[in-house]
Amino acid sequence: MVDATDVALEAYIWFGPNHKIRTILVGAMLVLAGYWLYWQMTWDDTDETQSRTGEANSDTDWRHYSVVAPVDTGINVYHDHFRTDEVYPNWLLESLGVTKTCYITFDGSWEERYQADKESCWDNITTSDIVYFYGTKIIGTSPDGQTDIHILDDPSDGHGTAVTGAVLDANPDAVIFFVEGFSTDAVLAASNQPLVDIISTSFGAIGSLPVPGIETGTYEAVVGNNKIHTGAADNTPSPAVQDATAGPPWSIGIAGYAEEGDDQKETMSGSYPDIAADWTQVLPNHDDTDGYHETSGTSFATPRTAGILSFILQELREEFNDGGSGASVERGGYLVEGTTSDGESFTIRNSEVRNALNLSAWYPSFTTWDPLSGTTPVSPVAPCTQVGWGVVNMSNIEPMLMHLNGTQAMDERPGDVVLCMSINQEAREAYWGVYPSAPGEG
């Protein structure tokens, strides 16, 4: 039972002569409690922000590298195929014009990851952004727009994801500057990047119809900016000469052959290209985080070749202490600008890389043809009309490197092959306009 005297005493304490002082004390306590709550919430937010960021890399003495720019539908940045513990250095990001870094989620399903990042990343990307996806090998941009989600591969289409997977299968250390789009502007977005070495495109008119395409963009990239362009021939036997992606003489047009099969020409791939490369590959899915599928086409033979050339450039840069990339005016238009062990200048142009590619290509024997495979046997007579200079795979890397670094020059190709590909080059130059080059360089 409460005593009346106690109540009266308590009331006197709080509301007696000193009640103003006590009121002030109570107010101060409430203010302090408010500040404590505010700082606690701020600290929690900081923890969450820090968990979605990572350490910047201020290293100015990074490894030797090469930059490949696939231009395609979009890319699944959540797939394990593109993960890396490596952090791209600040100077590389600045040089590539990165405007935004997305610290994407790596836990949960594809949909859960996307939803977790939707507000902080995907909803904020514009056509003018160049985005580094922290924890991956991908820097991406979407200059064309006209897509529901910039850069990310659409749920209904995984072409760009597979294309980029093919690049990294050939050179796992390649820096990927991914451009979402199918236009000349998309190609130019890669062309205008000084650090990009190779642009790879795997789209064009069905049947290689003689219609305009991206040729003005690839011309600017190769002739104007001294890069390499690999372009997919059509998935029909149509000649590649008039194909806007594979046909221009400044482009390396690529058809398909059955690597790890019977090594013969894939019937449903372009004819009279520059080379043929691996037609069927196992590549990453676009709508999950760790799945793969088998897929076929020149679309994948082409970036596989881009990856091989990227690997060669990277190896040469390491050998000759070239810490840069691209072939900008500042680099004298050279894809490799280094020095020998004797301190002498060592340089490589895009035409020299292409010549080495042509010299390294080879023709499979028709004797391995399997009539049940669906392929076309490589003819012992004028095989160039089927697979150009020949086929290219990972085995071409060593002879190309030895040729380019001067260790062991490759033999010239037989006269009939050179004549056949000279006719090819002249036809392309006549169709697409003057582009003077020796057949060995074209």
Side-chain angles (χ1 to χ4, degrees):
M1 183 175 184
V2 178
D3 189 278
T5 303
D6 291 337
V7 172
L9 180 60
E10 188 73 16
Y12 176 81
I13 293 172
W14 283 102
F15 300 105
N18 296 323
H19 74 277
K20 290 184 179 180
I21 296 175
R22 289 177 176 80
T23 301
I24 292 172
L25 289 173
V26 170
M29 290 173 65
L30 290 173
V31 169
L32 289 172
Y35 273 117
W36 178 86
L37 182 61
Y38 170 79
W39 287 113
Q40 185 65 34
M41 293 174 65
T42 302
W43 184 262
D44 289 343
D45 287 343
T46 301
D47 284 347
E48 182 178 353
T49 301
Q50 288 176 343
S51 70
R52 294 182 61 82
T53 61
E55 295 183 3
N57 183 354
S58 58
D59 188 2
T60 57
D61 186 25
W62 199 48
R63 66 171 172 84
H64 299 90
Y65 68 100
S66 172
V67 182
V68 180
V71 182
D72 217 283
T73 60
I75 184 166
N76 176 13
V77 298
Y78 293 115
H79 201 283
D80 290 348
H81 203 77
F82 308 122
R83 291 282 301 275
T84 180
D85 293 330
E86 190 174 50
V87 178
Y88 287 166
N90 294 341
W91 62 262
L92 178 66
L93 302 181
E94 292 170 3
S95 297
L96 287 168
V98 169
T99 60
K100 177 181 178 65
T101 297
C102 282
Y103 299 92
I104 57 177
T105 302
F106 290 119
D107 294 318
S109 67
W110 186 96
E111 181 64 27
E112 290 169 339
R113 298 181 192 195
Y114 166 70
Q115 291 297 336
D117 299 331
K118 187 174 184 298
E119 185 176 350
S120 63
C121 179
W122 303 114
D123 289 351
N124 300 320
I125 298 175
T126 69
T127 55
S128 61
D129 278 322
I130 297 174
V131 184
Y132 171 42
F133 295 94
Y134 191 94
T136 80
K137 304 174 183 180
I138 310 300
I139 296 167
T141 187
S142 183
D144 285 354
Q146 302 176 359
T147 179
D148 293 335
I149 310 170
H150 293 312
I151 303 173
L152 190 64
D153 221 344
D154 297 330
S156 60
D157 191 348
H159 198 264
T161 295
V163 161
T164 308
V167 173
L168 291 171
D169 281 348
N171 182 13
D173 291 328
V175 173
I176 299 297
F177 185 87
F178 187 90
V179 182
E180 181 183 24
F182 298 101
S183 67
T184 297
D185 285 343
V187 173
L188 290 174
S191 172
N192 293 334
Q193 286 289 339
L195 270 59
V196 167
D197 298 309
I198 302 164
I199 298 172
S200 187
T201 59
S202 294
F203 53 88
I206 296 175
S208 293
L209 293 175
V211 295
I214 56 171
E215 66 278 0
T216 58
T218 58
Y219 178 90
E220 180 64 23
V222 178
V223 182
N225 293 331
N226 307 299
K227 303 181 189 299
I228 293 172
H229 171 238
T230 56
D234 193 49
N235 289 325
T236 70
S238 173
V241 169
Q242 77 286 352
D243 188 295
T245 300
W250 50 85
S251 299
I252 301 175
I254 300 170
Y257 89 104
E259 184 177 333
E260 298 179 357
D262 63 359
D263 283 343
Q264 303 302 298
K265 180 187 183 293
E266 290 289 351
T267 302
M268 296 305 291
S269 75
S271 302
Y272 217 180
D274 283 292
I275 63 163
D278 191 4
W279 167 269
T280 300
Q281 300 172 48
V282 177
L283 297 169
N285 295 340
H286 70 289
D287 54 0
D288 61 37
T289 63
D290 58 5
Y292 291 81
H293 63 287
E294 184 175 86
T295 187
S296 301
T298 58
S299 287
F300 314 110
T302 300
R304 176 65 169 264
T305 307
I308 288 172
L309 297 179
S310 166
F311 181 86
I312 289 168
L313 291 177
Q314 187 172 295
E315 289 293 298
L316 289 170
R317 287 168 180 162
E318 182 172 3
E319 181 176 356
F320 294 99
N321 196 30
D322 176 8
S325 70
S328 62
V329 174
E330 290 76 14
R331 288 170 59 83
Y334 297 113
L335 282 168
V336 179
E337 185 191 27
T339 55
T340 67
S341 57
D342 296 329
E344 297 181 2
S345 174
F346 178 89
T347 57
I348 295 288
R349 291 190 180 276
N350 56 1
S351 59
E352 294 173 281
V353 175
R354 188 167 181 179
N355 181 48
L357 180 71
N358 297 343
L359 291 175
S360 74
W362 48 279
Y363 296 123
S365 170
F366 72 94
T367 59
T368 63
W369 178 55
D370 177 2
L372 301 178
S373 66
T375 60
T376 298
V378 175
S379 172
V381 179
C384 55
T385 59
Q386 297 175 296
V387 292
W389 291 99
V391 302
V392 170
N393 58 29
M394 300 295 281
S395 72
N396 294 62
I397 291 175
E398 184 175 358
M400 285 186 68
L401 280 172
M402 294 178 69
H403 180 85
L404 290 167
N405 69 14
T407 302
Q408 183 177 336
M410 288 182 282
D411 294 334
E412 294 296 323
R413 301 301 296 274
D416 61 329
V417 175
V418 174
L419 175 61
C420 181
M421 293 309 292
S422 294
I423 294 171
N424 173 285
Q425 185 71 11
E426 289 167 3
R428 294 160 76 177
E429 290 177 5
Y431 186 88
W432 294 102
V434 177
Y435 177 71
S437 57
E441 297 178 348

